Structures are given as C-alpha cells and as structure tokens.
Amino acid sequence: MVGKPMGSELRVLLVEDDPNDAALIRRSLRGSGFVLDCCPTLGEALKRLAEGGVSVVLSDLHLPDSQGLETVRRLKEKARGVPLVALTGTTREEDGIEAVRAGAQDYLRKEEVLGPHLARTLVFACERQEVERFKEELVRMVGHELRSPASTAVSALESLRDGAAGPLPEGAAMYLDMAIHSLEHQLATLEDLAQAHRAGMGRLKVEPRDVDPAAALRGVADELASRAAAKGVALTADTAASSPVRADPERLRQVLTNLVDNALKFTEPGGAVTLSVKPHARAPFAEFTVRDTGPGLAPAEAANVFEKLYQAPLGRKAGGLGLGLYIAREFVQSQGGLIWVESELGAGTSFHFTLPYGRAFAGRPASTGAGPASG
Ligand SMILES: Nc1ncnc2c1ncn2[C@@H]1O[C@H](COP(=O)(O)OP(=O)(O)O)[C@@H](O)[C@H]1O
Ligand SMILES: [Mg+2]
C-alpha cells in the first residue's frame, strides 16, 4: 500500500449520513483514481469493513447511530489495520486532534474536502498506517530473532557452569555467571519490548484466577533477595494473611517485580524496600504497596512515570528502557485495578496498585472505585 501512486486503485469507504456532503466528497475525488463506497451509518460501515478490501475509511464523526470519538473507536476496533481519516463538522481543531489520539491517522474539517487536500490526506493516512504496521512488525521480528539465540546461549552457559562438560578451572564459574547475568538482562529487556508492543496493540494476555497476595509478595521478595543483599538494601515483605485477589498470577508477579526492581535500582545501600498488602479504604479491592527510602520523584516526574519510554534524569543514568511502569499500568488496568505513585524528592517513593478480591471474597459491596485515597 505504501507509496501507492495517485491513479492506482485505493478503495475509500466513506461513512457519511448527509447526502449533500457525500455528493461533495464524491465530486472532489472524481478523476483522482479512488474508488468510493458510501455508507450512511456506522452499523453499515462495520459490516462493509468486515467484508474486507477497504484501503482507507473517511468518516463523519456524527452519525445517526454513533457520536464523536465513539465512532473512531468502533471503526478502529473493527479494522485495526485500516487507516481512518475523521471528518469534523466543526471549526474546533481540538475535535480532530482528539480523533487522532483515539486512533485516527488524520482528520479534515468538512470545508477542507474541496480541492487537493482530500486526496493527499487519504494517501498520507495510508502511508502513516503502513509506517505504524512496519514499526510493530520490526519490533516483533527483531525481538524474536534476538531472543532465541540469547536463550540458547543462557542454557549452554548454565550447562557448562554446572559441570556438563567436566570440571571447570578455578574462577571460571564466576565469569560464566557474569555472562549468564548479562544475557538474562538482555532477555528481560526484550521481554519488556514484546509486552509493551502487545499492550500497544491491545493484545495483552491475562488469565485471572484467585491468587494469594501474601504468597505473591513472598515469591517476589525471595526472588530478588540476593540482589537486595548484594546492594545492601533491606528487602522485606509484610505477608500477613489476606483474602485472595482476582488476577493473572504471572502478570501480578511481573508488576511486583517491575516495582521492586525499580526500588532496588534507585535506593542507596543502607536503605529499605518494603512490600505490603491491605484492604483498600473504600472499595472491595486489595491495595498493594512497594515503598522505598530512595531519592524520590519531583511532582512533574511523578506525573509522567507511567508513560511509555519516560525516564526521569536519574532513571536515564541508571539505564533501562522506561517501559517497566508502562507495562505495570497496562497489566493492572487490564485486571480492573488502578496504579499510582506517592513521592517526594528526598523522601522516598511508594507505588500503590489495587486488584479486585477473588470470587471467594465476601466483603463490602463495590463503592466509588479503588484509587488513591485523595481522589
Ligand atoms: N522507586 C523509584 N524511585 C525513583 N524513581 C523511580 C522509581 N521507580 C521509577 N522511577 C522513575 O521512573 C522511570 C520509569 O521507570 P520504568 O518504567 O520502570 O523504566 P526504567 O526502569 O527502565 O527506567 C525511571 O526511569 C525513574 O526515573
Ligand atoms: Mg524499571
């Protein structure tokens, strides 16, 4: 599709209920090489999209059966890979920008459909979609190509270290451990990229069941105990009994690991990292907390830490990709919870997240949601 020259066939699905506007657009595209199909409602457009063969959708946002950004969302849901140009009736630029944020590749105000604008916008929307697709495919493929040799190398080095090829010379195990450790770091980074990619595509896999939160905290604390000890940071988990939560156990482990990994990375020797869980103050949710005595975050940093690729200056110095908290947020939200941070420069950081209690829980009825106590 990319670089498709004007004059070759691009199939445009026009979703427009106003016959005058539809006629205007038809006229504007005459002779430009586009083949135009027209639907007056979202329902018909979704059916048409399911049949396939549409190169680009040009849609009014206000239709008899769908209004505003809902139109963008439903069209993109049906055909994620088909580019969408939103037609906005108003002169408010914000409406178009919001449509792009909701997934459209571009927007045009209705008074702009005359002249060369329209054809050019449709071609550019196709190009942009193609670039997005290529980027996603690249991340997926490169990730896969780098991951398999690294895993093979880890297994081979572990066998060597464990004596599969005979006794090792003095000191060799230490060098093998260093190699294994750095390959494992590379594998974890690639796994983060793959997860972030899946989250961005709306394809996170979660299989919730009833999970014991205290056991989850203990598991992560045990797994990271040697790293904490090596750094001289006290890592403790408050594992008082708690009702089961409804979560995918592997995802819960990953969220806790990402938070504790950060806490250990940023806390100086002599500091402490504490994991705990308690009932949320207002709703039948469990609230998990990972608290550290590290450097803390300035308000502007705290406001951005969950964004994809964001790192505060200290974070950039420490390495990493800035994806751990983004992935944590996507997982927590996909399981019905919320995640937030409380921090002050110089006074440590607490990350909190909530998860609903499991089926076995006979608690209070749901009230106002399960987020930060202050709002
Ligand atoms: N416990 C913490 N204390 C101070 N800063 C933190 C903490 N956790 C996260 N941050 C900040 O948030 C940024 C994003 O974290 P994350 O998404 O895990 O990415 P990464 O660890 O790869 O940098 C970090 O780079 C750091 O600036
Ligand atoms: Mg991190």
Side-chain angles (χ1 to χ4, degrees):
M1 200 74 53
V2 74
K4 192 140 203 168
M6 294 292 299
S8 63
E9 187 174 283
L10 271 179
R11 298 197 80 88
V12 182
L13 176 63
L14 172 63
V15 195
E16 175 59 81
D17 58 319
D18 182 327
N20 293 328
D21 287 345
L24 194 70
I25 286 164
R26 194 175 285 283
R27 228 177 302 133
S28 175
L29 287 180
R30 194 168 293 152
S32 63
F34 292 97
V35 178
L36 197 66
D37 265 350
C38 190
C39 293
T41 63
L42 179 74
E44 281 176 57
L46 295 180
K47 259 191 237 145
R48 179 66 194 79
L49 276 170
E51 289 163 14
V54 173
S55 318
V56 52
V57 178
L58 176 62
S59 180
D60 187 4
L61 292 184
H62 299 285
L63 298 165
D65 54 347
S66 176
Q67 293 292 309
L69 296 183
E70 187 58 18
T71 310
V72 175
R73 283 191 207 104
R74 301 214 17 222
L75 285 166
K76 285 308 273 191
E77 214 174 78
K78 190 74 184 183
R80 223 189 159 80
V82 179
L84 168 65
V85 175
L87 281 171
T88 61
T90 62
T91 49
R92 274 174 24 103
E93 212 69 39
E94 293 88 334
D95 289 350
I97 292 167
E98 277 173 12
V100 170
R101 291 214 177 103
Q105 273 56 47
D106 206 346
Y107 68 94
L108 271 180
R109 296 202 305 265
K110 282 197 178 164
E111 69 246 33
E112 293 172 322
V113 301
L114 286 174
H117 275 322
L118 178 56
R120 201 169 56 208
T121 304
L122 291 173
V123 171
F124 281 1
C126 293
E127 297 269 354
R128 190 165 309 160
Q129 180 77 46
E130 183 59 20
V131 171
E132 279 169 31
R133 197 196 60 74
F134 178 71
K135 186 187 75 186
E136 275 156 9
E137 187 57 18
L138 192 69
V139 168
R140 196 191 62 74
M141 268 172 42
V142 170
H144 181 261
E145 288 303 308
L146 293 178
R147 226 170 327 164
S148 17
S151 325
T152 310
V154 168
S155 312
L157 292 169
E158 280 173 346
S159 303
L160 198 59
R161 182 197 57 192
D162 299 341
L168 294 177
E170 178 123 344
M174 187 188 76
Y175 290 108
L176 289 174
D177 275 336
M178 274 165 61
I180 291 167
H181 180 76
S182 64
L183 283 168
E184 277 172 348
H185 178 75
Q186 177 183 326
L187 281 167
T189 305
L190 290 170
E191 183 55 26
D192 275 359
L193 261 181
Q195 297 282 12
H197 172 242
R198 256 175 256 142
M201 306 274 289
R203 276 204 223 134
L204 280 182
K205 272 191 230 128
V206 287
E207 288 170 18
R209 354 190 194 115
D210 281 8
V211 183
D212 175 5
L217 294 186
R218 256 196 316 273
V220 171
D222 287 349
E223 204 175 310
L224 294 172
S226 60
R227 232 188 87 200
K231 194 164 179 194
V233 172
L235 174 62
T236 50
D238 170 6
T239 52
S242 156
S243 303
V245 291
R246 192 86 193 145
D248 181 318
E250 179 49 30
R251 307 283 82 106
L252 173 57
R253 191 193 64 79
Q254 192 172 4
V255 171
L256 286 167
T257 304
N258 288 1
L259 296 179
V260 177
D261 178 73
N262 284 343
L264 290 176
K265 178 157 71 171
F266 295 110
T267 303
E268 292 296 323
V273 175
T274 325
L275 284 67
S276 59
V277 60
K278 63 170 190 199
H280 186 265
R282 291 195 318 263
F285 280 65
E287 180 180 328
F288 294 80
T289 299
V290 175
R291 188 186 309 278
D292 67 52
T293 58
L297 289 155
E301 296 169 352
N304 285 304
V305 285
F306 297 105
E307 297 310 316
K308 208 193 252 183
L309 301 176
Y310 176 84
Q311 294 184 299
L314 261 182
R316 267 196 300 280
K317 236 191 270 167
L321 286 178
L323 288 175
L325 292 175
Y326 166 74
I327 293 167
R329 181 185 67 183
E330 295 301 305
F331 280 146
V332 168
Q333 288 180 352
S334 75
Q335 295 175 79
L338 287 173
I339 186 165
W340 68 99
V341 61
E342 286 164 11
S343 186
E344 223 178 284
L345 269 185
T349 304
S350 300
F351 280 93
H352 305 264
F353 67 93
T354 55
L355 288 175
Y357 280 117
R359 298 225 168 113
F361 179 72
R364 291 155 294 156
S367 55
T368 49
S374 54

